[in-house]
mmCIF file of all heavy atoms in Angstrom:
data_model
loop_
_atom_site.group_PDB
_atom_site.id
_atom_site.type_symbol
_atom_site.label_atom_id
_atom_site.label_comp_id
_atom_site.label_asym_id
_atom_site.label_seq_id
_atom_site.Cartn_x
_atom_site.Cartn_y
_atom_site.Cartn_z
ATOM 1 N N ASP T 169 -7.762 18.061 4.359
ATOM 2 C CA ASP T 169 -8.973 18.813 4.694
ATOM 3 C C ASP T 169 -9.340 19.736 3.534
ATOM 4 O O ASP T 169 -8.494 20.089 2.714
ATOM 5 C CB ASP T 169 -8.691 19.633 5.967
ATOM 6 C CG ASP T 169 -9.870 20.470 6.411
ATOM 7 O OD1 ASP T 169 -11.012 19.983 6.342
ATOM 8 O OD2 ASP T 169 -9.646 21.611 6.845
ATOM 9 N N MET T 170 -10.590 20.145 3.472
ATOM 10 C CA MET T 170 -11.023 21.074 2.428
ATOM 11 C C MET T 170 -10.974 22.525 2.915
ATOM 12 O O MET T 170 -10.157 23.317 2.470
ATOM 13 C CB MET T 170 -12.437 20.701 1.965
ATOM 14 C CG MET T 170 -12.986 21.618 0.878
ATOM 15 S SD MET T 170 -12.002 21.723 -0.614
ATOM 16 C CE MET T 170 -12.666 20.399 -1.575
ATOM 17 N N PHE T 203 -24.327 22.311 15.536
ATOM 18 C CA PHE T 203 -23.363 22.323 14.431
ATOM 19 C C PHE T 203 -22.763 20.929 14.241
ATOM 20 O O PHE T 203 -22.613 20.461 13.118
ATOM 21 C CB PHE T 203 -22.243 23.348 14.661
ATOM 22 C CG PHE T 203 -22.634 24.761 14.344
ATOM 23 C CD1 PHE T 203 -22.541 25.745 15.306
ATOM 24 C CD2 PHE T 203 -23.092 25.114 13.083
ATOM 25 C CE1 PHE T 203 -22.902 27.060 15.026
ATOM 26 C CE2 PHE T 203 -23.456 26.416 12.790
ATOM 27 C CZ PHE T 203 -23.367 27.389 13.760
ATOM 28 N N MET T 204 -22.409 20.271 15.355
ATOM 29 C CA MET T 204 -21.829 18.934 15.252
ATOM 30 C C MET T 204 -22.846 17.953 14.668
ATOM 31 O O MET T 204 -22.511 17.157 13.783
ATOM 32 C CB MET T 204 -21.333 18.452 16.616
ATOM 33 C CG MET T 204 -20.591 17.124 16.554
ATOM 34 S SD MET T 204 -19.130 17.102 15.466
ATOM 35 C CE MET T 204 -17.961 18.021 16.431
ATOM 36 N N ALA T 205 -24.083 18.026 15.114
ATOM 37 C CA ALA T 205 -25.124 17.147 14.571
ATOM 38 C C ALA T 205 -25.316 17.391 13.074
ATOM 39 O O ALA T 205 -25.515 16.448 12.299
ATOM 40 C CB ALA T 205 -26.437 17.350 15.326
ATOM 41 N N LEU T 206 -25.234 18.641 12.664
ATOM 42 C CA LEU T 206 -25.356 18.992 11.250
ATOM 43 C C LEU T 206 -24.191 18.417 10.451
ATOM 44 O O LEU T 206 -24.388 17.821 9.390
ATOM 45 C CB LEU T 206 -25.413 20.520 11.106
ATOM 46 C CG LEU T 206 -25.706 21.097 9.738
ATOM 47 C CD1 LEU T 206 -27.056 20.625 9.211
ATOM 48 C CD2 LEU T 206 -25.668 22.622 9.807
ATOM 49 N N MET T 207 -22.977 18.563 10.974
ATOM 50 C CA MET T 207 -21.792 18.041 10.275
ATOM 51 C C MET T 207 -21.771 16.514 10.229
ATOM 52 O O MET T 207 -21.142 15.931 9.355
ATOM 53 C CB MET T 207 -20.508 18.558 10.920
ATOM 54 C CG MET T 207 -20.247 20.009 10.629
ATOM 55 S SD MET T 207 -18.614 20.564 11.143
ATOM 56 C CE MET T 207 -18.656 20.303 12.908
ATOM 57 N N GLU T 208 -22.445 15.878 11.169
ATOM 58 C CA GLU T 208 -22.496 14.418 11.181
ATOM 59 C C GLU T 208 -23.708 13.878 10.417
ATOM 60 O O GLU T 208 -23.948 12.675 10.400
ATOM 61 C CB GLU T 208 -22.512 13.907 12.618
ATOM 62 C CG GLU T 208 -21.196 14.156 13.327
ATOM 63 C CD GLU T 208 -21.194 13.707 14.776
ATOM 64 O OE1 GLU T 208 -22.284 13.524 15.361
ATOM 65 O OE2 GLU T 208 -20.091 13.535 15.313
ATOM 66 N N GLY T 209 -24.477 14.770 9.802
ATOM 67 C CA GLY T 209 -25.628 14.348 9.021
ATOM 68 C C GLY T 209 -26.789 13.858 9.865
ATOM 69 O O GLY T 209 -27.695 13.199 9.361
ATOM 70 N N LYS T 210 -26.795 14.203 11.146
ATOM 71 C CA LYS T 210 -27.861 13.740 12.046
ATOM 72 C C LYS T 210 -29.075 14.663 12.027
ATOM 73 O O LYS T 210 -30.150 14.265 12.448
ATOM 74 C CB LYS T 210 -27.314 13.601 13.466
ATOM 75 C CG LYS T 210 -26.281 12.498 13.550
ATOM 76 C CD LYS T 210 -25.721 12.313 14.935
ATOM 77 C CE LYS T 210 -24.815 11.101 14.919
ATOM 78 N NZ LYS T 210 -23.644 11.236 15.704
ATOM 79 N N VAL T 211 -28.891 15.898 11.563
ATOM 80 C CA VAL T 211 -30.004 16.817 11.362
ATOM 81 C C VAL T 211 -29.820 17.515 10.011
ATOM 82 O O VAL T 211 -28.697 17.644 9.523
ATOM 83 C CB VAL T 211 -30.114 17.893 12.484
ATOM 84 C CG1 VAL T 211 -30.353 17.261 13.838
ATOM 85 C CG2 VAL T 211 -28.907 18.803 12.514
ATOM 86 N N CYS T 260 -9.763 13.327 0.341
ATOM 87 C CA CYS T 260 -10.222 14.466 1.120
ATOM 88 C C CYS T 260 -10.993 13.953 2.335
ATOM 89 O O CYS T 260 -11.920 13.151 2.191
ATOM 90 C CB CYS T 260 -11.127 15.352 0.266
ATOM 91 S SG CYS T 260 -11.740 16.826 1.117
ATOM 92 N N GLY T 261 -10.599 14.417 3.526
ATOM 93 C CA GLY T 261 -11.311 14.112 4.766
ATOM 94 C C GLY T 261 -11.776 15.425 5.359
ATOM 95 O O GLY T 261 -10.953 16.195 5.858
ATOM 96 N N THR T 262 -13.066 15.714 5.291
ATOM 97 C CA THR T 262 -13.543 17.048 5.617
ATOM 98 C C THR T 262 -14.805 17.039 6.466
ATOM 99 O O THR T 262 -15.690 16.210 6.254
ATOM 100 C CB THR T 262 -13.800 17.853 4.317
ATOM 101 O OG1 THR T 262 -14.161 19.180 4.629
ATOM 102 C CG2 THR T 262 -14.856 17.212 3.437
ATOM 103 N N ASN T 263 -14.860 17.958 7.419
ATOM 104 C CA ASN T 263 -16.121 18.223 8.111
ATOM 105 C C ASN T 263 -16.954 19.069 7.162
ATOM 106 O O ASN T 263 -16.489 20.107 6.690
ATOM 107 C CB ASN T 263 -15.886 18.983 9.420
ATOM 108 C CG ASN T 263 -15.387 18.079 10.526
ATOM 109 O OD1 ASN T 263 -15.318 16.856 10.374
ATOM 110 N ND2 ASN T 263 -15.050 18.663 11.655
ATOM 111 N N SER T 264 -18.159 18.604 6.885
ATOM 112 C CA SER T 264 -18.968 19.277 5.878
ATOM 113 C C SER T 264 -20.446 19.168 6.218
ATOM 114 O O SER T 264 -20.844 18.341 7.025
ATOM 115 C CB SER T 264 -18.701 18.648 4.509
ATOM 116 O OG SER T 264 -19.319 19.389 3.487
ATOM 117 N N ILE T 265 -21.222 20.006 5.571
ATOM 118 C CA ILE T 265 -22.676 19.899 5.628
ATOM 119 C C ILE T 265 -23.155 19.726 4.185
ATOM 120 O O ILE T 265 -22.411 20.012 3.240
ATOM 121 C CB ILE T 265 -23.333 21.127 6.300
ATOM 122 C CG1 ILE T 265 -23.107 22.401 5.484
ATOM 123 C CG2 ILE T 265 -22.824 21.289 7.731
ATOM 124 C CD1 ILE T 265 -23.907 23.599 5.987
ATOM 125 N N ALA T 266 -24.368 19.262 4.028
ATOM 126 C CA ALA T 266 -24.875 18.920 2.696
ATOM 127 C C ALA T 266 -24.775 20.079 1.709
ATOM 128 O O ALA T 266 -24.345 19.891 0.564
ATOM 129 C CB ALA T 266 -26.313 18.421 2.803
ATOM 130 N N HIS T 268 -22.773 22.746 1.671
ATOM 131 C CA HIS T 268 -21.389 23.075 1.309
ATOM 132 C C HIS T 268 -20.798 21.982 0.428
ATOM 133 O O HIS T 268 -20.083 22.268 -0.535
ATOM 134 C CB HIS T 268 -20.544 23.288 2.557
ATOM 135 C CG HIS T 268 -20.964 24.481 3.351
ATOM 136 N ND1 HIS T 268 -20.290 24.883 4.476
ATOM 137 C CD2 HIS T 268 -21.991 25.373 3.190
ATOM 138 C CE1 HIS T 268 -20.876 25.955 4.975
ATOM 139 N NE2 HIS T 268 -21.914 26.267 4.211
ATOM 140 N N TYR T 269 -21.102 20.734 0.747
ATOM 141 C CA TYR T 269 -20.635 19.615 -0.064
ATOM 142 C C TYR T 269 -21.165 19.754 -1.498
ATOM 143 O O TYR T 269 -20.413 19.607 -2.461
ATOM 144 C CB TYR T 269 -21.088 18.292 0.558
ATOM 145 C CG TYR T 269 -20.691 17.081 -0.239
ATOM 146 C CD1 TYR T 269 -19.431 16.527 -0.097
ATOM 147 C CD2 TYR T 269 -21.578 16.504 -1.149
ATOM 148 C CE1 TYR T 269 -19.057 15.412 -0.837
ATOM 149 C CE2 TYR T 269 -21.213 15.392 -1.892
ATOM 150 C CZ TYR T 269 -19.954 14.849 -1.725
ATOM 151 O OH TYR T 269 -19.582 13.758 -2.462
ATOM 152 N N TYR T 278 -13.784 19.015 -5.626
ATOM 153 C CA TYR T 278 -13.342 17.700 -5.155
ATOM 154 C C TYR T 278 -12.670 16.873 -6.245
ATOM 155 O O TYR T 278 -12.121 15.805 -5.964
ATOM 156 C CB TYR T 278 -14.526 16.904 -4.607
ATOM 157 C CG TYR T 278 -15.161 17.457 -3.364
ATOM 158 C CD1 TYR T 278 -16.534 17.671 -3.307
ATOM 159 C CD2 TYR T 278 -14.409 17.742 -2.224
ATOM 160 C CE1 TYR T 278 -17.143 18.154 -2.159
ATOM 161 C CE2 TYR T 278 -15.009 18.234 -1.072
ATOM 162 C CZ TYR T 278 -16.371 18.433 -1.044
ATOM 163 O OH TYR T 278 -16.976 18.907 0.096
ATOM 164 N N ILE T 284 -13.640 11.169 -1.595
ATOM 165 C CA ILE T 284 -14.032 12.200 -0.643
ATOM 166 C C ILE T 284 -14.684 11.523 0.556
ATOM 167 O O ILE T 284 -15.530 10.639 0.400
ATOM 168 C CB ILE T 284 -15.076 13.173 -1.261
ATOM 169 C CG1 ILE T 284 -14.691 13.593 -2.672
ATOM 170 C CG2 ILE T 284 -15.295 14.379 -0.348
ATOM 171 C CD1 ILE T 284 -13.332 14.142 -2.838
ATOM 172 N N TYR T 285 -14.293 11.955 1.762
ATOM 173 C CA TYR T 285 -14.890 11.468 3.004
ATOM 174 C C TYR T 285 -15.488 12.661 3.751
ATOM 175 O O TYR T 285 -14.856 13.235 4.628
ATOM 176 C CB TYR T 285 -13.849 10.752 3.867
ATOM 177 C CG TYR T 285 -13.297 9.502 3.215
ATOM 178 C CD1 TYR T 285 -12.049 9.502 2.610
ATOM 179 C CD2 TYR T 285 -14.047 8.330 3.202
ATOM 180 C CE1 TYR T 285 -11.545 8.356 2.003
ATOM 181 C CE2 TYR T 285 -13.554 7.176 2.598
ATOM 182 C CZ TYR T 285 -12.304 7.199 2.004
ATOM 183 O OH TYR T 285 -11.815 6.056 1.405
ATOM 184 N N PRO T 286 -16.718 13.049 3.385
ATOM 185 C CA PRO T 286 -17.369 14.177 4.063
ATOM 186 C C PRO T 286 -18.074 13.693 5.331
ATOM 187 O O PRO T 286 -18.781 12.684 5.321
ATOM 188 C CB PRO T 286 -18.369 14.677 3.023
ATOM 189 C CG PRO T 286 -18.702 13.463 2.202
ATOM 190 C CD PRO T 286 -17.485 12.578 2.238
ATOM 191 N N SER T 287 -17.894 14.424 6.405
ATOM 192 C CA SER T 287 -18.445 14.017 7.698
ATOM 193 C C SER T 287 -19.948 13.782 7.665
ATOM 194 O O SER T 287 -20.439 12.828 8.267
ATOM 195 C CB SER T 287 -18.100 15.066 8.762
ATOM 196 O OG SER T 287 -18.690 16.317 8.440
ATOM 197 N N HIS T 288 -20.677 14.630 6.950
ATOM 198 C CA HIS T 288 -22.140 14.489 6.965
ATOM 199 C C HIS T 288 -22.606 13.212 6.279
ATOM 200 O O HIS T 288 -23.711 12.753 6.509
ATOM 201 C CB HIS T 288 -22.820 15.723 6.354
ATOM 202 C CG HIS T 288 -22.763 15.787 4.871
ATOM 203 N ND1 HIS T 288 -21.621 16.142 4.181
ATOM 204 C CD2 HIS T 288 -23.699 15.525 3.930
ATOM 205 C CE1 HIS T 288 -21.858 16.108 2.881
ATOM 206 N NE2 HIS T 288 -23.116 15.743 2.707
ATOM 207 N N LYS T 289 -21.755 12.618 5.456
ATOM 208 C CA LYS T 289 -22.116 11.360 4.792
ATOM 209 C C LYS T 289 -21.610 10.137 5.556
ATOM 210 O O LYS T 289 -22.241 9.092 5.499
ATOM 211 C CB LYS T 289 -21.575 11.337 3.362
ATOM 212 C CG LYS T 289 -22.332 12.256 2.436
ATOM 213 C CD LYS T 289 -21.982 11.984 1.002
ATOM 214 C CE LYS T 289 -22.902 12.780 0.101
ATOM 215 N NZ LYS T 289 -23.035 12.182 -1.212
ATOM 216 N N ILE T 290 -20.475 10.280 6.249
ATOM 217 C CA ILE T 290 -19.953 9.114 6.981
ATOM 218 C C ILE T 290 -20.478 9.057 8.409
ATOM 219 O O ILE T 290 -20.296 8.053 9.097
ATOM 220 C CB ILE T 290 -18.415 9.026 6.932
ATOM 221 C CG1 ILE T 290 -17.736 10.201 7.623
ATOM 222 C CG2 ILE T 290 -17.935 8.915 5.494
ATOM 223 C CD1 ILE T 290 -16.214 10.090 7.696
ATOM 224 N N GLY T 291 -21.129 10.131 8.868
ATOM 225 C CA GLY T 291 -21.795 10.107 10.161
ATOM 226 C C GLY T 291 -20.933 10.402 11.372
ATOM 227 O O GLY T 291 -21.375 10.225 12.502
ATOM 228 N N VAL T 292 -19.739 10.894 11.138
ATOM 229 C CA VAL T 292 -18.842 11.241 12.240
ATOM 230 C C VAL T 292 -17.929 12.370 11.769
ATOM 231 O O VAL T 292 -17.583 12.451 10.588
ATOM 232 C CB VAL T 292 -18.039 10.003 12.726
ATOM 233 C CG1 VAL T 292 -17.112 9.469 11.646
ATOM 234 C CG2 VAL T 292 -17.298 10.285 14.012
ATOM 235 N N ALA T 293 -17.563 13.261 12.692
ATOM 236 C CA ALA T 293 -16.778 14.443 12.328
ATOM 237 C C ALA T 293 -15.488 14.525 13.134
ATOM 238 O O ALA T 293 -15.374 13.946 14.213
ATOM 239 C CB ALA T 293 -17.614 15.708 12.549
ATOM 240 N N LYS T 294 -14.533 15.257 12.575
ATOM 241 C CA LYS T 294 -13.300 15.563 13.302
ATOM 242 C C LYS T 294 -13.649 16.455 14.485
ATOM 243 O O LYS T 294 -14.577 17.249 14.369
ATOM 244 C CB LYS T 294 -12.310 16.323 12.386
ATOM 245 C CG LYS T 294 -11.864 15.559 11.190
ATOM 246 C CD LYS T 294 -10.975 16.397 10.285
ATOM 247 C CE LYS T 294 -11.805 17.301 9.385
ATOM 248 N NZ LYS T 294 -11.028 18.013 8.379
ATOM 249 N N PRO T 295 -12.996 16.349 15.585
ATOM 250 C CA PRO T 295 -11.781 15.580 15.850
ATOM 251 C C PRO T 295 -12.008 14.192 16.458
ATOM 252 O O PRO T 295 -11.093 13.622 17.046
ATOM 253 C CB PRO T 295 -11.042 16.478 16.840
ATOM 254 C CG PRO T 295 -12.130 17.113 17.641
ATOM 255 C CD PRO T 295 -13.274 17.305 16.678
ATOM 256 N N GLN T 296 -13.191 13.630 16.308
ATOM 257 C CA GLN T 296 -13.442 12.308 16.871
ATOM 258 C C GLN T 296 -12.555 11.252 16.209
ATOM 259 O O GLN T 296 -12.399 11.232 14.983
ATOM 260 C CB GLN T 296 -14.910 11.939 16.694
ATOM 261 C CG GLN T 296 -15.858 12.852 17.448
ATOM 262 C CD GLN T 296 -17.292 12.552 17.104
ATOM 263 O OE1 GLN T 296 -17.827 11.527 17.489
ATOM 264 N NE2 GLN T 296 -17.904 13.455 16.339
ATOM 265 N N ALA T 298 -13.095 8.254 15.575
ATOM 266 C CA ALA T 298 -13.824 7.418 14.614
ATOM 267 C C ALA T 298 -13.774 7.990 13.197
ATOM 268 O O ALA T 298 -13.836 7.235 12.221
ATOM 269 C CB ALA T 298 -15.273 7.248 15.062
ATOM 270 N N PHE T 299 -13.638 9.298 13.062
ATOM 271 C CA PHE T 299 -13.535 9.920 11.734
ATOM 272 C C PHE T 299 -12.288 9.405 11.009
ATOM 273 O O PHE T 299 -12.357 8.929 9.879
ATOM 274 C CB PHE T 299 -13.479 11.443 11.866
ATOM 275 C CG PHE T 299 -13.323 12.169 10.556
ATOM 276 C CD1 PHE T 299 -14.431 12.516 9.808
ATOM 277 C CD2 PHE T 299 -12.064 12.503 10.078
ATOM 278 C CE1 PHE T 299 -14.296 13.185 8.592
ATOM 279 C CE2 PHE T 299 -11.915 13.174 8.863
ATOM 280 C CZ PHE T 299 -13.032 13.511 8.118
ATOM 281 N N TYR T 300 -11.158 9.483 11.685
ATOM 282 C CA TYR T 300 -9.884 9.054 11.097
ATOM 283 C C TYR T 300 -9.870 7.541 10.891
ATOM 284 O O TYR T 300 -9.398 7.048 9.871
ATOM 285 C CB TYR T 300 -8.720 9.472 11.993
ATOM 286 C CG TYR T 300 -8.761 10.929 12.377
ATOM 287 C CD1 TYR T 300 -9.404 11.346 13.546
ATOM 288 C CD2 TYR T 300 -8.179 11.898 11.570
ATOM 289 C CE1 TYR T 300 -9.454 12.683 13.902
ATOM 290 C CE2 TYR T 300 -8.226 13.244 11.919
ATOM 291 C CZ TYR T 300 -8.884 13.624 13.086
ATOM 292 O OH TYR T 300 -8.932 14.945 13.420
ATOM 293 N N TYR T 302 -12.356 5.555 10.368
ATOM 294 C CA TYR T 302 -13.197 5.209 9.224
ATOM 295 C C TYR T 302 -12.409 5.346 7.919
ATOM 296 O O TYR T 302 -12.438 4.447 7.071
ATOM 297 C CB TYR T 302 -14.447 6.103 9.188
ATOM 298 C CG TYR T 302 -15.336 5.821 8.009
ATOM 299 C CD1 TYR T 302 -16.323 4.847 8.073
ATOM 300 C CD2 TYR T 302 -15.188 6.530 6.801
ATOM 301 C CE1 TYR T 302 -17.138 4.575 6.981
ATOM 302 C CE2 TYR T 302 -15.990 6.261 5.713
ATOM 303 C CZ TYR T 302 -16.969 5.289 5.806
ATOM 304 O OH TYR T 302 -17.752 5.020 4.709
ATOM 305 N N ILE T 303 -11.722 6.456 7.767
ATOM 306 C CA ILE T 303 -10.953 6.671 6.531
ATOM 307 C C ILE T 303 -9.835 5.645 6.405
ATOM 308 O O ILE T 303 -9.633 5.066 5.332
ATOM 309 C CB ILE T 303 -10.395 8.109 6.469
ATOM 310 C CG1 ILE T 303 -11.570 9.110 6.391
ATOM 311 C CG2 ILE T 303 -9.460 8.287 5.266
ATOM 312 C CD1 ILE T 303 -11.150 10.570 6.500
ATOM 313 N N ASN T 323 -7.711 19.126 15.277
ATOM 314 C CA ASN T 323 -7.868 17.993 14.359
ATOM 315 C C ASN T 323 -6.536 17.314 14.095
ATOM 316 O O ASN T 323 -6.459 16.089 13.979
ATOM 317 C CB ASN T 323 -8.502 18.450 13.052
ATOM 318 C CG ASN T 323 -9.915 18.955 13.235
ATOM 319 O OD1 ASN T 323 -10.574 18.653 14.229
ATOM 320 N ND2 ASN T 323 -10.390 19.742 12.298
#
Side-chain angles (χ1 to χ4, degrees):
D169 179 40
M170 180 58 89
F203 281 123
M204 186 58 74
L206 187 60
M207 287 190 298
E208 292 178 341
K210 294 181 174 142
V211 299
C260 181
T262 185
N263 282 354
S264 188
I265 65 171
H268 294 183
Y269 178 84
Y278 294 128
I284 315 307
Y285 296 102
S287 62
H288 76 284
K289 287 193 172 205
I290 64 175
V292 64
K294 298 176 278 187
Q296 296 173 71
F299 178 88
Y300 309 91
Y302 178 88
I303 295 173
N323 295 340

